[in-house]
Amino acid sequence: RSRGLGDVYKRQLPHLAGARVVALASLVNADAAVRLATGRAEARIDLVCSGFRGEPDLDDLATAGFLADRLLRLRPDLVPAGAARLALDLARAEPDPLRPLWSSRAGRYLRRLGLERDLGIAADIDRSTVVPVLGAPEPRHGGVLFPFAPADAG
C-alpha cells in the first residue's frame, strides 16, 4: 500500500509532540533552522525525515546530512549518531545537494510529472528565514490537528 504525506505525519508527529521544539527544516531555510535548533537545544538535536511515500529516500538523507554538517559547525559538541553519521558522509562526499535530490525517488517522481524546476527550488539553500515550529496538538473532528506557525530564528 502506498503511503501519502498525511500518513507520514500521522505516524511521526504524535511522537514528536513531546519534544521541546519541533521545527520544519529544509535546504531552503537551512541557516535559520540550524540557528533556531542550536539556540533552543540543550543536549541533543534530532533530525527526523519524512521520506517519500512513507519510505526513506535519498533527498531526505542528503538534506539531513547538509543540516547535520551545519549543526556541527555551530555546535561542535554535538555527537552524530545512527543515520546522522551516514547522512554526514553523503553530504561530505556530495556537497551539492541538488545532485542527490535529482537522483532520489522523489526527484524522479517530480521529473515524471514535469516538475523538475521544483527540485531547483528545493535546493535553493538559505532562500528563506522562515522556520515553521509545531504548536500544541489540538483535537479536531475526531482526530488531532498539528498546527505549525513561523518562529523567529533570530
Side-chain angles (χ1 to χ4, degrees):
R1 176 178 173 264
S2 175
R3 296 185 185 122
L5 186 59
D7 292 330
V8 171
Y9 289 129
K10 285 178 193 173
R11 242 185 10 259
Q12 292 177 344
L13 286 177
H15 301 289
L16 299 175
R20 198 164 158 251
V21 177
V22 175
L24 297 181
S26 67
L27 297 170
V28 172
N29 69 352
D31 184 64
V34 164
R35 290 187 185 285
L36 178 80
T38 56
R40 294 192 184 179
E42 293 174 1
R44 68 186 266 173
I45 298 170
D46 293 316
L47 297 172
V48 179
C49 300
S50 60
F52 179 70
R53 294 187 171 171
E55 297 295 326
D57 196 11
L58 183 59
D59 61 328
D60 281 344
L61 185 65
T63 302
F66 184 90
L67 293 168
D69 186 60
R70 287 226 177 153
L71 285 166
L72 287 170
R73 290 177 195 201
L74 287 177
R75 288 274 309 269
D77 60 305
L78 295 172
V79 178
R85 288 189 301 256
L86 175 64
L88 272 168
D89 287 345
L90 173 61
R92 291 171 179 164
E94 180 50 75
D96 178 5
L98 180 57
R99 290 171 59 124
L101 266 65
W102 187 265
S103 299
S104 69
R105 280 179 287 162
R108 290 191 304 272
Y109 176 75
L110 288 173
R111 291 196 324 268
R112 277 195 308 274
L113 295 176
L115 300 172
E116 55 276 346
R117 289 185 61 189
D118 285 11
L119 294 166
I121 293 168
D124 192 2
I125 298 168
D126 296 329
R127 180 185 61 200
S128 176
T129 59
V130 176
V131 182
V133 174
L134 179 63
E138 304 169 10
R140 293 277 172 97
H141 309 292
V144 178
L145 173 69
F146 295 95
F148 282 86
D152 177 20

Coordinates of all heavy atoms in Angstrom, one line a residue, residues 59-151:
D59 N 16.7 12.1 -1.0 CA 16.6 13.5 -0.9 C 16.6 13.9 0.6 O 17.2 14.9 1.0 CB 15.4 14.1 -1.6 CG 14.0 13.5 -1.1 OD1 14.0 12.3 -0.6 OD2 13.0 14.2 -1.1
D60 N 15.9 13.1 1.4 CA 15.9 13.4 2.9 C 17.3 13.1 3.5 O 17.7 13.9 4.4 CB 14.9 12.5 3.6 CG 13.5 13.0 3.5 OD1 13.3 14.2 3.1 OD2 12.5 12.3 3.7
L61 N 17.9 12.1 3.1 CA 19.2 11.7 3.6 C 20.2 12.9 3.3 O 21.0 13.3 4.2 CB 19.7 10.4 3.1 CG 21.0 9.9 3.7 CD1 20.9 9.6 5.1 CD2 21.5 8.6 2.9
A62 N 20.2 13.3 2.1 CA 21.1 14.4 1.7 C 20.8 15.7 2.4 O 21.8 16.4 2.9 CB 21.0 14.7 0.1
T63 N 19.6 16.0 2.6 CA 19.2 17.2 3.3 C 19.6 17.1 4.8 O 20.1 18.0 5.4 CB 17.7 17.5 3.2 OG1 17.4 17.7 1.8 CG2 17.3 18.8 3.9
A64 N 19.3 15.9 5.4 CA 19.7 15.7 6.8 C 21.2 15.8 7.0 O 21.7 16.4 7.9 CB 19.2 14.3 7.3
G65 N 22.0 15.3 6.0 CA 23.4 15.4 6.1 C 23.9 16.9 6.0 O 24.8 17.3 6.7
F66 N 23.3 17.6 5.1 CA 23.6 19.1 4.9 C 23.3 19.8 6.2 O 24.1 20.6 6.7 CB 22.8 19.6 3.8 CG 23.1 21.1 3.5 CD1 24.1 21.4 2.6 CD2 22.4 22.1 4.1 CE1 24.4 22.7 2.3 CE2 22.7 23.4 3.8 CZ 23.7 23.7 2.9
L67 N 22.1 19.5 6.8 CA 21.7 20.2 8.1 C 22.7 19.8 9.2 O 23.1 20.6 10.0 CB 20.3 19.9 8.4 CG 19.2 20.5 7.5 CD1 17.9 19.9 7.7 CD2 19.2 22.0 7.6
A68 N 23.0 18.5 9.3 CA 23.9 18.0 10.3 C 25.2 18.6 10.3 O 25.8 19.0 11.3 CB 24.0 16.4 10.3
D69 N 25.7 18.8 9.0 CA 27.0 19.4 8.9 C 27.0 20.9 9.4 O 27.9 21.3 10.1 CB 27.4 19.4 7.4 CG 28.8 19.9 7.2 OD1 29.8 19.3 7.7 OD2 29.0 20.9 6.4
R70 N 25.9 21.6 9.1 CA 25.8 22.9 9.6 C 25.6 23.0 11.1 O 26.1 23.9 11.7 CB 24.6 23.6 8.9 CG 24.9 24.0 7.4 CD 24.4 25.4 7.2 NE 24.8 25.8 5.8 CZ 24.1 26.7 5.2 NH1 23.0 27.2 5.7 NH2 24.4 27.1 4.0
L71 N 24.9 22.0 11.6 CA 24.7 22.0 13.1 C 26.0 21.8 13.8 O 26.3 22.4 14.8 CB 23.8 20.8 13.5 CG 22.3 21.1 13.2 CD1 21.5 19.7 13.3 CD2 21.7 22.1 14.2
L72 N 26.9 20.9 13.2 CA 28.2 20.6 13.8 C 29.1 21.8 13.7 O 30.0 22.0 14.6 CB 28.8 19.4 13.2 CG 28.2 18.1 13.6 CD1 28.7 16.9 12.8 CD2 28.4 17.8 15.1
R73 N 29.0 22.6 12.7 CA 29.8 23.8 12.6 C 29.5 24.8 13.7 O 30.3 25.5 14.2 CB 29.6 24.5 11.3 CG 30.2 23.7 10.1 CD 29.9 24.3 8.8 NE 30.2 23.4 7.7 CZ 30.5 23.7 6.5 NH1 30.5 25.0 6.2 NH2 30.7 22.8 5.6
L74 N 28.2 24.9 14.1 CA 27.7 25.8 15.2 C 27.9 25.2 16.5 O 28.1 25.9 17.5 CB 26.3 26.3 14.9 CG 26.1 27.3 13.8 CD1 24.6 27.6 13.6 CD2 26.9 28.6 14.1
R75 N 27.7 23.9 16.6 CA 27.8 23.2 17.9 C 28.7 21.9 17.8 O 28.2 20.8 17.7 CB 26.4 22.7 18.3 CG 25.4 23.8 18.8 CD 25.5 24.1 20.3 NE 25.5 22.9 21.1 CZ 24.4 22.4 21.7 NH1 23.2 23.0 21.5 NH2 24.5 21.4 22.5
P76 N 30.0 22.2 17.8 CA 30.9 21.0 17.6 C 30.8 20.0 18.8 O 31.4 18.9 18.7 CB 32.3 21.7 17.6 CG 32.1 23.1 17.9 CD 30.7 23.4 17.8
D77 N 30.1 20.4 19.9 CA 30.0 19.4 21.0 C 29.0 18.3 20.7 O 28.9 17.3 21.4 CB 29.6 20.2 22.2 CG 28.2 20.9 22.1 OD1 28.1 21.7 21.1 OD2 27.3 20.7 22.9
L78 N 28.1 18.5 19.7 CA 27.1 17.5 19.3 C 27.9 16.3 18.7 O 28.8 16.4 18.0 CB 26.1 18.1 18.3 CG 25.2 19.2 18.8 CD1 24.4 19.8 17.6 CD2 24.3 18.7 19.9
V79 N 27.3 15.1 19.0 CA 27.9 13.9 18.5 C 26.9 13.2 17.6 O 25.9 12.7 18.1 CB 28.3 12.9 19.7 CG1 28.9 11.6 19.2 CG2 29.3 13.6 20.6
P80 N 27.2 13.1 16.3 CA 26.3 12.4 15.4 C 26.1 11.0 15.8 O 27.1 10.3 16.1 CB 26.9 12.6 14.0 CG 28.0 13.6 14.2 CD 28.4 13.6 15.6
A81 N 24.9 10.5 15.7 CA 24.6 9.1 16.0 C 23.7 8.5 14.9 O 23.0 9.2 14.2 CB 24.0 9.0 17.4
G82 N 23.8 7.2 14.8 CA 22.9 6.5 13.9 C 23.0 7.0 12.5 O 24.1 7.2 11.9
A83 N 21.8 7.2 11.8 CA 21.8 7.5 10.4 C 22.3 8.9 10.2 O 22.7 9.2 9.0 CB 20.3 7.5 9.9
A84 N 22.5 9.7 11.2 CA 23.1 11.1 11.0 C 24.5 10.9 10.5 O 25.0 11.8 9.8 CB 23.0 11.9 12.3
R85 N 25.2 9.9 11.0 CA 26.6 9.7 10.5 C 26.6 9.4 9.0 O 27.4 9.9 8.3 CB 27.3 8.6 11.3 CG 27.6 9.0 12.7 CD 28.5 8.0 13.4 NE 27.9 6.7 13.5 CZ 27.3 6.2 14.6 NH1 27.3 6.9 15.7 NH2 26.7 5.0 14.6
L86 N 25.7 8.5 8.6 CA 25.6 8.2 7.2 C 25.2 9.4 6.4 O 25.8 9.7 5.3 CB 24.6 7.1 7.0 CG 24.2 6.7 5.6 CD1 25.4 6.1 4.9 CD2 23.1 5.7 5.5
A87 N 24.3 10.2 6.9 CA 23.9 11.4 6.2 C 25.0 12.4 6.1 O 25.2 13.0 5.0 CB 22.7 12.1 6.9
L88 N 25.8 12.5 7.1 CA 27.0 13.4 7.1 C 28.0 12.9 6.0 O 28.6 13.7 5.3 CB 27.7 13.5 8.4 CG 27.2 14.5 9.4 CD1 27.7 14.2 10.8 CD2 27.6 15.9 8.9
D89 N 28.2 11.6 6.0 CA 29.1 11.1 5.0 C 28.7 11.4 3.6 O 29.5 11.8 2.7 CB 29.3 9.6 5.1 CG 30.1 9.2 6.3 OD1 30.8 10.0 6.9 OD2 30.0 8.0 6.7
L90 N 27.4 11.3 3.3 CA 26.8 11.6 2.0 C 27.0 13.1 1.7 O 27.5 13.5 0.6 CB 25.3 11.3 1.9 CG 24.6 11.7 0.6 CD1 25.2 11.1 -0.6 CD2 23.1 11.4 0.7
A91 N 26.7 14.0 2.7 CA 26.8 15.4 2.4 C 28.3 15.8 2.2 O 28.6 16.7 1.4 CB 26.3 16.2 3.6
R92 N 29.2 15.2 2.8 CA 30.6 15.5 2.6 C 31.2 14.9 1.3 O 32.1 15.5 0.7 CB 31.5 15.0 3.8 CG 31.1 15.9 5.0 CD 31.7 15.4 6.3 NE 31.3 16.3 7.4 CZ 31.5 16.0 8.7 NH1 31.9 14.8 9.0 NH2 31.1 16.9 9.6
A93 N 30.6 13.8 0.9 CA 31.0 13.2 -0.4 C 30.4 13.9 -1.6 O 31.0 14.0 -2.7 CB 30.6 11.7 -0.4
E94 N 29.2 14.4 -1.4 CA 28.5 15.2 -2.4 C 28.0 16.5 -1.9 O 26.9 16.6 -1.4 CB 27.3 14.3 -3.0 CG 26.5 15.0 -4.1 CD 27.4 15.6 -5.2 OE1 27.9 14.8 -6.0 OE2 27.6 16.8 -5.2
P95 N 28.8 17.5 -1.9 CA 28.5 18.8 -1.3 C 27.3 19.6 -2.0 O 26.7 20.5 -1.4 CB 29.8 19.6 -1.3 CG 30.7 18.9 -2.2 CD 30.2 17.5 -2.4
D96 N 27.0 19.2 -3.3 CA 25.9 19.9 -4.0 C 24.7 19.1 -3.8 O 24.5 18.0 -4.4 CB 26.2 19.9 -5.5 CG 25.1 20.6 -6.3 OD1 24.1 21.0 -5.7 OD2 25.2 20.6 -7.5
P97 N 23.8 19.6 -2.9 CA 22.6 18.8 -2.6 C 21.6 18.6 -3.7 O 20.8 17.7 -3.7 CB 21.9 19.5 -1.4 CG 22.5 20.9 -1.5 CD 23.8 20.8 -2.2
L98 N 21.7 19.4 -4.8 CA 20.8 19.2 -5.9 C 21.0 17.8 -6.6 O 20.1 17.2 -7.0 CB 21.0 20.3 -6.9 CG 20.1 20.2 -8.1 CD1 18.6 20.2 -7.7 CD2 20.3 21.4 -9.1
R99 N 22.2 17.4 -6.6 CA 22.5 16.1 -7.3 C 21.8 14.9 -6.6 O 21.1 14.1 -7.3 CB 24.0 15.8 -7.4 CG 24.7 16.8 -8.4 CD 26.1 16.7 -8.3 NE 26.6 15.4 -8.6 CZ 27.4 15.1 -9.6 NH1 27.9 16.0 -10.3 NH2 27.8 13.8 -9.8
P100 N 21.9 14.7 -5.3 CA 21.1 13.6 -4.7 C 19.6 13.9 -4.8 O 18.8 12.9 -4.9 CB 21.5 13.6 -3.2 CG 22.6 14.6 -3.1 CD 22.8 15.3 -4.3
L101 N 19.1 15.1 -4.7 CA 17.7 15.4 -4.9 C 17.2 15.0 -6.2 O 16.2 14.3 -6.4 CB 17.4 16.9 -4.7 CG 17.0 17.4 -3.3 CD1 18.1 17.2 -2.3 CD2 16.5 18.8 -3.3
W102 N 18.0 15.3 -7.3 CA 17.7 14.9 -8.6 C 17.6 13.4 -8.8 O 16.8 12.9 -9.5 CB 18.8 15.5 -9.6 CG 18.5 15.3 -11.0 CD1 18.9 14.3 -11.8 CD2 17.6 16.2 -11.8 NE1 18.4 14.5 -13.1 CE2 17.6 15.7 -13.1 CE3 16.9 17.3 -11.6 CZ2 16.9 16.2 -14.2 CZ3 16.2 17.9 -12.6 CH2 16.2 17.4 -13.9
S103 N 18.5 12.7 -8.1 CA 18.6 11.2 -8.3 C 17.7 10.4 -7.4 O 17.5 9.2 -7.6 CB 20.1 10.8 -7.9 OG 21.0 11.3 -8.8
S104 N 17.1 11.1 -6.4 CA 16.2 10.4 -5.5 C 14.9 9.9 -6.1 O 14.5 10.4 -7.2 CB 15.8 11.4 -4.3 OG 15.0 12.4 -4.8
R105 N 14.2 9.1 -5.5 CA 12.9 8.6 -6.0 C 11.9 9.8 -6.1 O 11.2 9.9 -7.0 CB 12.3 7.5 -5.1 CG 12.9 6.2 -5.3 CD 12.3 5.1 -4.4 NE 12.9 5.4 -3.1 CZ 12.4 4.9 -2.0 NH1 11.3 4.2 -2.0 NH2 13.0 5.2 -0.8
A106 N 11.9 10.7 -5.1 CA 11.1 11.9 -5.1 C 11.5 12.7 -6.3 O 10.6 13.3 -7.0 CB 11.2 12.7 -3.8
G107 N 12.8 12.9 -6.6 CA 13.2 13.7 -7.7 C 12.7 13.1 -9.0 O 12.3 13.8 -9.9
R108 N 12.9 11.7 -9.2 CA 12.4 11.1 -10.4 C 10.9 11.2 -10.6 O 10.4 11.5 -11.7 CB 12.8 9.6 -10.4 CG 14.3 9.4 -10.5 CD 14.7 8.0 -10.8 NE 14.2 7.0 -9.8 CZ 14.9 6.7 -8.6 NH1 16.1 7.3 -8.4 NH2 14.4 5.9 -7.8
Y109 N 10.2 11.2 -9.5 CA 8.7 11.3 -9.5 C 8.4 12.7 -10.0 O 7.5 12.9 -10.9 CB 8.2 11.1 -8.1 CG 6.7 11.3 -8.0 CD1 5.8 10.4 -8.5 CD2 6.2 12.4 -7.4 CE1 4.4 10.6 -8.4 CE2 4.8 12.7 -7.2 CZ 3.9 11.8 -7.8 OH 2.6 12.0 -7.7
L110 N 9.0 13.8 -9.4 CA 8.7 15.1 -9.9 C 9.1 15.3 -11.3 O 8.4 16.0 -12.1 CB 9.5 16.1 -9.0 CG 9.0 16.3 -7.6 CD1 9.9 17.1 -6.7 CD2 7.6 16.8 -7.5
R111 N 10.2 14.7 -11.8 CA 10.6 14.9 -13.2 C 9.6 14.2 -14.1 O 9.2 14.8 -15.1 CB 12.0 14.3 -13.4 CG 13.1 15.2 -12.7 CD 14.5 14.9 -13.2 NE 14.8 13.6 -13.5 CZ 15.3 12.7 -12.7 NH1 15.6 13.0 -11.4 NH2 15.6 11.5 -13.1
R112 N 9.0 13.1 -13.7 CA 8.0 12.4 -14.5 C 6.7 13.3 -14.6 O 6.0 13.2 -15.6 CB 7.6 11.1 -13.9 CG 8.5 9.9 -14.3 CD 7.9 8.6 -14.0 NE 7.5 8.4 -12.6 CZ 8.2 8.0 -11.6 NH1 9.5 7.7 -11.8 NH2 7.7 7.8 -10.4
L113 N 6.5 14.1 -13.6 CA 5.3 15.0 -13.6 C 5.6 16.3 -14.3 O 4.7 17.2 -14.4 CB 4.9 15.3 -12.2 CG 4.3 14.1 -11.3 CD1 4.0 14.6 -9.9 CD2 3.1 13.5 -12.0
G114 N 6.8 16.5 -14.8 CA 7.2 17.7 -15.4 C 7.5 18.8 -14.5 O 7.5 20.0 -14.8
L115 N 7.8 18.5 -13.2 CA 8.1 19.5 -12.2 C 9.5 19.5 -11.7 O 9.8 19.8 -10.6 CB 7.2 19.1 -10.9 CG 5.7 19.1 -11.2 CD1 4.9 18.6 -10.0 CD2 5.2 20.5 -11.6
E116 N 10.4 19.3 -12.7 CA 11.9 19.3 -12.3 C 12.3 20.7 -11.8 O 13.3 20.7 -11.0 CB 12.7 18.9 -13.5 CG 12.5 19.7 -14.8 CD 11.4 19.2 -15.6 OE1 10.8 18.1 -15.4 OE2 11.0 20.0 -16.5
R117 N 11.7 21.7 -12.1 CA 12.0 23.1 -11.6 C 11.8 23.1 -10.1 O 12.5 23.8 -9.3 CB 11.2 24.2 -12.2 CG 11.6 24.4 -13.7 CD 10.9 25.5 -14.3 NE 11.3 26.8 -13.6 CZ 10.7 27.9 -13.7 NH1 9.7 28.0 -14.6 NH2 11.0 28.9 -13.0
D118 N 10.9 22.3 -9.5 CA 10.7 22.2 -8.1 C 12.0 21.7 -7.4 O 12.2 22.1 -6.2 CB 9.5 21.3 -7.8 CG 8.2 21.9 -8.1 OD1 8.2 23.0 -8.7 OD2 7.2 21.4 -7.6
L119 N 12.7 20.9 -8.0 CA 14.0 20.4 -7.4 C 15.0 21.5 -7.2 O 15.6 21.6 -6.2 CB 14.6 19.3 -8.3 CG 13.7 18.0 -8.3 CD1 14.2 17.1 -9.4 CD2 13.7 17.3 -7.0
G120 N 15.1 22.4 -8.2 CA 15.9 23.6 -8.1 C 15.5 24.5 -7.0 O 16.3 25.0 -6.2
I121 N 14.2 24.6 -6.8 CA 13.6 25.5 -5.8 C 13.9 24.8 -4.4 O 14.3 25.5 -3.5 CB 12.1 25.7 -6.0 CG1 11.8 26.5 -7.2 CG2 11.5 26.3 -4.7 CD1 10.4 26.5 -7.7
A122 N 13.8 23.5 -4.3 CA 14.0 22.8 -3.1 C 15.5 22.9 -2.7 O 15.8 22.8 -1.5 CB 13.6 21.3 -3.2
A123 N 16.4 23.0 -3.7 CA 17.8 23.1 -3.4 C 18.4 24.5 -3.3 O 19.6 24.7 -3.3 CB 18.6 22.3 -4.5
D124 N 17.5 25.5 -3.3 CA 17.9 26.9 -3.2 C 18.2 27.2 -1.7 O 17.4 27.7 -1.0 CB 16.7 27.8 -3.7 CG 17.2 29.2 -3.9 OD1 18.4 29.5 -3.7 OD2 16.3 30.0 -4.3
I125 N 19.4 26.9 -1.4 CA 19.9 27.0 0.0 C 19.8 28.4 0.6 O 20.2 29.4 0.0 CB 21.4 26.5 0.1 CG1 21.4 25.0 -0.4 CG2 21.9 26.7 1.5 CD1 22.8 24.6 -0.6
D126 N 19.2 28.4 1.8 CA 19.0 29.7 2.6 C 18.2 30.7 1.9 O 18.4 31.9 2.2 CB 20.4 30.2 3.0 CG 21.2 29.3 3.9 OD1 20.6 28.6 4.6 OD2 22.4 29.3 3.8
R127 N 17.3 30.4 1.1 CA 16.4 31.4 0.4 C 15.4 32.0 1.4 O 15.0 33.1 1.2 CB 15.7 30.7 -0.8 CG 14.7 31.7 -1.5 CD 13.9 31.0 -2.5 NE 13.1 30.0 -1.9 CZ 12.5 28.9 -2.5 NH1 12.7 28.8 -3.8 NH2 11.8 28.1 -1.9
S128 N 15.1 31.3 2.4 CA 14.1 31.7 3.4 C 14.6 31.7 4.8 O 15.5 30.9 5.2 CB 12.8 30.8 3.3 OG 11.9 31.2 4.3
T129 N 14.1 32.6 5.6 CA 14.4 32.7 7.0 C 13.3 32.2 7.9 O 13.3 32.2 9.1 CB 14.8 34.1 7.5 OG1 13.7 35.0 7.2 CG2 16.0 34.6 6.8
V130 N 12.2 31.7 7.2 CA 11.0 31.3 7.9 C 11.2 29.8 8.4 O 11.6 29.0 7.6 CB 9.7 31.4 7.1 CG1 8.5 30.8 7.8 CG2 9.5 32.8 6.7
V131 N 11.0 29.6 9.7 CA 11.1 28.2 10.2 C 9.8 27.9 10.9 O 9.5 28.4 12.0 CB 12.3 28.1 11.2 CG1 12.4 26.7 11.8 CG2 13.6 28.5 10.6
P132 N 9.0 27.0 10.3 CA 7.7 26.6 11.0 C 8.0 25.8 12.2 O 8.9 24.9 12.2 CB 7.0 25.8 9.9 CG 7.6 26.2 8.6 CD 9.1 26.5 9.0
V133 N 7.3 26.1 13.3 CA 7.5 25.3 14.6 C 6.2 24.8 15.0 O 5.1 25.4 14.9 CB 8.1 26.3 15.7 CG1 8.1 25.6 17.0 CG2 9.5 26.7 15.3
L134 N 6.2 23.5 15.5 CA 5.0 22.8 15.9 C 4.4 23.4 17.2 O 5.1 23.6 18.1 CB 5.3 21.3 16.1 CG 4.2 20.4 16.6 CD1 3.1 20.4 15.5 CD2 4.7 19.0 16.9
G135 N 3.1 23.7 17.1 CA 2.4 24.2 18.3 C 1.8 23.0 19.0 O 2.0 21.9 18.7
A136 N 0.9 23.3 20.0 CA 0.3 22.3 20.8 C -0.8 21.6 19.9 O -1.6 22.2 19.2 CB -0.4 22.9 22.0
P137 N -0.8 20.3 19.9 CA -1.8 19.5 19.2 C -3.2 19.9 19.7 O -3.4 20.1 20.8 CB -1.5 18.0 19.5 CG -0.1 18.0 20.0 CD 0.2 19.4 20.6
E138 N -4.1 19.9 18.7 CA -5.5 20.3 19.0 C -6.4 19.2 18.5 O -6.4 18.9 17.4 CB -5.8 21.6 18.3 CG -4.9 22.8 18.6 CD -5.1 24.0 17.7 OE1 -6.1 24.0 16.9 OE2 -4.3 24.9 17.7
P139 N -7.3 18.7 19.4 CA -8.3 17.8 19.0 C -9.3 18.4 18.0 O -9.7 19.5 18.2 CB -9.1 17.4 20.3 CG -8.2 17.9 21.4 CD -7.4 19.0 20.8
R140 N -9.5 17.8 16.9 CA -10.4 18.3 15.8 C -11.1 17.1 15.1 O -10.5 16.2 14.6 CB -9.6 19.1 14.8 CG -9.0 20.3 15.2 CD -10.0 21.5 15.2 NE -9.5 22.7 15.8 CZ -8.9 23.7 15.1 NH1 -8.8 23.6 13.8 NH2 -8.4 24.7 15.8
H141 N -12.4 17.2 15.1 CA -13.3 16.3 14.3 C -12.9 14.8 14.5 O -12.7 14.1 13.5 CB -13.3 16.7 12.8 CG -13.6 18.1 12.6 ND1 -14.8 18.7 12.8 CD2 -12.8 19.2 12.2 CE1 -14.8 20.0 12.5 NE2 -13.6 20.3 12.2
G142 N -12.7 14.4 15.7 CA -12.3 13.0 15.9 C -10.9 12.7 15.7 O -10.4 11.5 15.8
G143 N -10.0 13.7 15.3 CA -8.6 13.5 15.1 C -7.8 14.5 15.8 O -8.3 15.1 16.8
V144 N -6.6 14.7 15.4 CA -5.7 15.7 16.0 C -5.2 16.6 14.9 O -4.7 16.1 13.9 CB -4.6 15.0 16.8 CG1 -3.7 16.1 17.4 CG2 -5.2 14.1 17.9
L145 N -5.2 17.9 15.2 CA -4.6 18.9 14.3 C -3.2 19.2 14.9 O -3.1 19.5 16.1 CB -5.4 20.2 14.2 CG -4.8 21.3 13.4 CD1 -4.7 21.0 11.9 CD2 -5.6 22.6 13.6
F146 N -2.2 19.2 14.1 CA -0.8 19.6 14.5 C -0.5 20.9 13.8 O 0.0 20.9 12.7 CB 0.2 18.5 14.1 CG 0.0 17.2 14.8 CD1 -0.8 16.2 14.2 CD2 0.5 17.0 16.0 CE1 -1.0 15.0 14.8 CE2 0.3 15.8 16.7 CZ -0.5 14.8 16.1
P147 N -0.7 22.0 14.5 CA -0.5 23.3 13.9 C 0.9 23.8 13.9 O 1.7 23.5 14.9 CB -1.4 24.3 14.8 CG -1.3 23.6 16.1 CD -1.3 22.1 15.9
F148 N 1.4 24.4 12.8 CA 2.7 25.0 12.7 C 2.5 26.5 12.6 O 1.6 26.9 11.9 CB 3.5 24.4 11.5 CG 4.0 23.0 11.8 CD1 3.2 21.9 11.6 CD2 5.3 22.8 12.2 CE1 3.7 20.6 11.8 CE2 5.8 21.6 12.5 CZ 5.0 20.5 12.3
A149 N 3.5 27.2 13.1 CA 3.5 28.6 13.0 C 4.9 29.1 12.8 O 5.9 28.4 13.4 CB 2.9 29.3 14.2
P150 N 5.2 30.1 12.1 CA 6.6 30.6 11.9 C 7.2 31.0 13.2 O 6.6 31.6 14.1 CB 6.5 31.8 11.0 CG 5.1 31.7 10.4 CD 4.3 31.0 11.4
A151 N 8.5 30.7 13.4 CA 9.2 31.1 14.6 C 10.3 32.0 14.1 O 10.8 32.0 13.0 CB 9.9 29.9 15.2

